[in-house]
Amino acid sequence: MAWLIPFSSLTPAQQDAVQMDTRTHKAIVGGPGAGKTLVLLHRLNLLFHRTGKNQDAVRLFVYTNTLKQFIQAGNDMLDVPVDCISTFDKWCADTYRERVNPRLPTKEKKPDFDAIRAGVFGVIDSGKLPTPVFDSVLVDEAQDMDAGAIEILKRVARHITICMDGKQQLYDDRVSEPEALKRLGLSSHNTALLAAFRCNPMVTELASQFIPDEARRQEFMRQASNLEMDRSRPLFFVADNFSEEAAQLIEMVKLRLSYGDSIAVLFPKQSQVHGFAKGFKEAGIDVEVQERDAPINFSTAIPKLMTYHQAKGLSFDSVFLPRLNQSSFQGEMSKRIGHLCFVGVSRAVKWVYLSGNKQALIAPMQELGQIPEQRFLETRISGKAVGLLDAGLAIVNSEPAADVFGLD
């Protein structure tokens, strides 16, 4: 697991962030690849040992179970029990069962996490749950927590360290960086991780195209002190139809597997994850998806299929973003297309592949495809899709393959 490196190999800024005191709450900001999760893991390890290896005294709350599994795959470098790493909602659910009611409240046959958090806050506020519960709590991806979650954390932990990046915020009703700092009693963040970006510079520049604010885009590019590595351009393929898109995706995944890359294929919707998993397997490519009783094994080179939300905080050599069509981004997701694309692209270290179908493309991809001769993106369009984008782009003539995915 290459991203989990020894403390001695961290940058000076990362080492300083790991060793910050716990007299006051702390906030760390940084873009994708700046090492926020890496810093939190080493900080967790440090604070765990300071408590005399008391696993009940410290917690690292991560955004998803997928990220927890990703971390666990490389946790043998650190001396921290896996029980010290959890999602915040998992801790709330366990606390609710223990202190409120063994039966969780539900909404539309799913756990009602708003009601669960309200119940947890109630037992804290009434004194039925003695506080503080933890000496220290560390929070990854704090930009996607709401104000209520931060208020709970303030009650249950003597010290809180949060890491956040507003550019990767996926929900409108979450805290902004200024609000999070204010609630923690901070006037500004304590440290900004700026110079440890892991990406091919072409990937970084592509990711920057999904930042709508020009000043923030330029700031992101200035921060991106990229590694000296292969400067392969990401590829954007515009297909004439779904079958053609699926066939091209299969061939490109096979190619990157032959290079020995770790691979993620990301989708807006969970239904697409499972539909494409079936199609890949029928095409002879083993893939892994998150199952309720079968977590993803990140120690293997088998391609991982997941949603954008599940991929938060992860990194792979090559990342594929198919089905970049308007129909894939419905409801609230349609308002966050730029953020979702930024998160998806910035999961990649070496290379990115994007694809969609002619007139159905989301607006940001139509705009990118209409700019000729971009140094950071190669655009290829099917011979049957000519006319959608500007002339002068590479044309691929291919016969559509059978729709092995069985998707619309």
Side-chain angles (χ1 to χ4, degrees):
M1 199 167 179
W3 66 270
L4 189 51
I5 58 178
F7 176 82
S8 59
S9 298
L10 301 182
T11 67
Q14 290 171 338
Q15 290 183 354
D16 289 345
V18 169
Q19 299 178 100
M20 289 188 295
D21 66 75
T22 56
R23 292 190 296 272
T24 60
H25 300 318
K26 297 293 189 287
I28 301 168
V29 298
K36 300 185 297 299
T37 304
L38 187 63
V39 164
L40 287 180
L41 283 169
H42 280 285
R43 185 164 173 78
L44 176 68
N45 192 56
L46 175 68
L47 297 178
F48 171 66
H49 282 82
R50 284 184 180 175
T51 66
K53 295 188 176 183
N54 179 2
Q55 69 179 46
D56 295 324
V58 295
R59 282 294 182 276
L60 168 59
F61 288 130
V62 296
Y63 181 67
T64 64
N65 285 319
T66 307
L67 179 53
K68 176 183 176 179
Q69 292 149 13
F70 186 73
I71 290 170
Q72 287 176 345
N75 197 34
D76 55 349
M77 184 177 293
L78 303 177
D79 184 27
V80 181
V82 294
D83 289 344
C84 291
I85 304 171
S86 173
T87 66
F88 178 68
D89 283 330
K90 172 67 163 57
W91 178 82
C92 284
D94 289 344
T95 303
Y96 188 98
R97 289 189 184 98
E98 180 182 348
R99 298 284 178 168
V100 182
N101 190 318
R103 188 171 184 175
L104 295 177
T106 59
K107 185 177 182 179
E108 298 177 354
K109 298 183 179 181
K110 296 180 180 179
D112 185 345
F113 286 110
D114 288 337
I116 292 169
R117 292 182 185 185
V120 171
F121 188 85
V123 295
I124 293 171
D125 203 42
S126 66
K128 294 179 181 178
L129 175 63
T131 57
V133 178
F134 305 108
D135 285 340
S136 297
V137 164
L138 315 179
V139 182
D140 202 7
E141 307 288 354
Q143 73 276 357
D144 278 311
M145 299 192 87
D146 60 22
I150 292 179
E151 290 304 311
I152 290 175
L153 292 175
K154 286 167 59 179
R155 301 287 191 98
V156 301
R158 290 188 177 92
H159 168 76
I160 302 169
T161 296
I162 64 171
C163 279
M164 62 191 313
D165 176 17
K167 297 183 296 298
Q168 298 189 64
Q169 191 174 62
L170 296 182
Y171 299 96
D172 286 325
D173 58 347
R174 302 306 195 254
V175 293
S176 64
E177 181 183 334
E179 183 182 359
L181 296 176
K182 182 179 179 180
R183 288 183 177 274
L184 292 177
L186 302 173
S187 58
S188 64
H189 55 258
N190 300 92
T191 188
L193 303 176
L194 303 178
F197 282 79
R198 63 179 187 267
C199 298
N200 172 350
M202 300 295 181
V203 172
T204 299
E205 192 163 352
L206 174 60
S208 75
Q209 304 304 305
F210 299 102
I211 302 174
D213 182 77
E214 181 62 27
R216 295 189 71 189
R217 181 186 303 158
Q218 293 302 322
E219 178 187 24
F220 173 70
M221 291 302 297
R222 287 194 299 271
Q223 292 173 356
S225 178
N226 297 102
L227 300 173
E228 290 297 325
M229 57 161 58
D230 180 9
R231 298 172 68 90
S232 299
R233 284 193 296 171
L235 175 61
F236 171 34
F237 176 63
V238 182
D240 178 64
N241 53 53
F242 175 81
S243 296
E244 190 174 58
E245 183 185 10
Q248 187 75 2
L249 175 66
I250 289 170
E251 292 307 309
M252 297 309 296
V253 167
K254 287 180 179 177
L255 178 64
R256 299 309 293 195
L257 278 172
S258 73
Y259 293 170
D261 285 5
S262 60
I263 290 173
V265 188
L266 307 183
F267 303 91
K269 299 188 292 189
Q270 190 68 47
S271 60
Q272 294 170 323
V273 172
H274 292 287
F276 272 76
K278 180 176 181 289
F280 271 115
K281 290 176 181 177
E282 290 178 358
I285 302 175
D286 287 335
V287 296
E288 287 192 73
V289 301
Q290 177 72 56
E291 301 287 359
R292 183 180 297 275
D293 300 317
I296 291 177
N297 182 1
F298 286 100
S299 64
T300 73
I302 297 173
K304 320 302 179 190
L305 274 59
M306 63 189 75
T307 65
Y308 291 82
H309 294 78
Q310 290 172 322
K312 284 281 292 292
L314 311 184
S315 63
F316 302 87
D317 293 329
S318 291
V319 170
F320 292 74
L321 307 180
R323 306 306 288 158
L324 293 174
N325 300 330
Q326 296 166 14
S327 60
S328 296
F329 299 83
Q330 296 293 313
E332 290 298 313
M333 290 181 69
S334 64
K335 304 174 184 177
R336 311 294 291 178
I337 287 177
H339 287 253
L340 289 162
C341 290
F342 178 86
V343 167
V345 170
S346 61
R347 300 307 92 208
V349 175
K350 295 180 180 179
W351 189 73
V352 177
Y353 176 87
L354 313 100
S355 68
N357 299 140
K358 46 181 184 177
Q359 284 89 353
L361 287 171
I362 55 175
M365 296 313 302
Q366 291 192 41
E367 293 168 5
L368 277 177
Q370 289 167 352
I371 304 173
E373 299 181 1
Q374 296 180 90
R375 71 179 189 86
F376 62 85
L377 181 66
E378 177 184 359
T379 301
R380 298 179 184 174
I381 59 177
S382 162
K384 296 182 180 181
V386 172
L388 169 64
L389 305 177
D390 283 352
L393 301 176
I395 297 175
V396 176
N397 291 302
S398 59
E399 293 299 323
D403 180 3
V404 297
F405 293 82
L407 291 176
D408 190 18

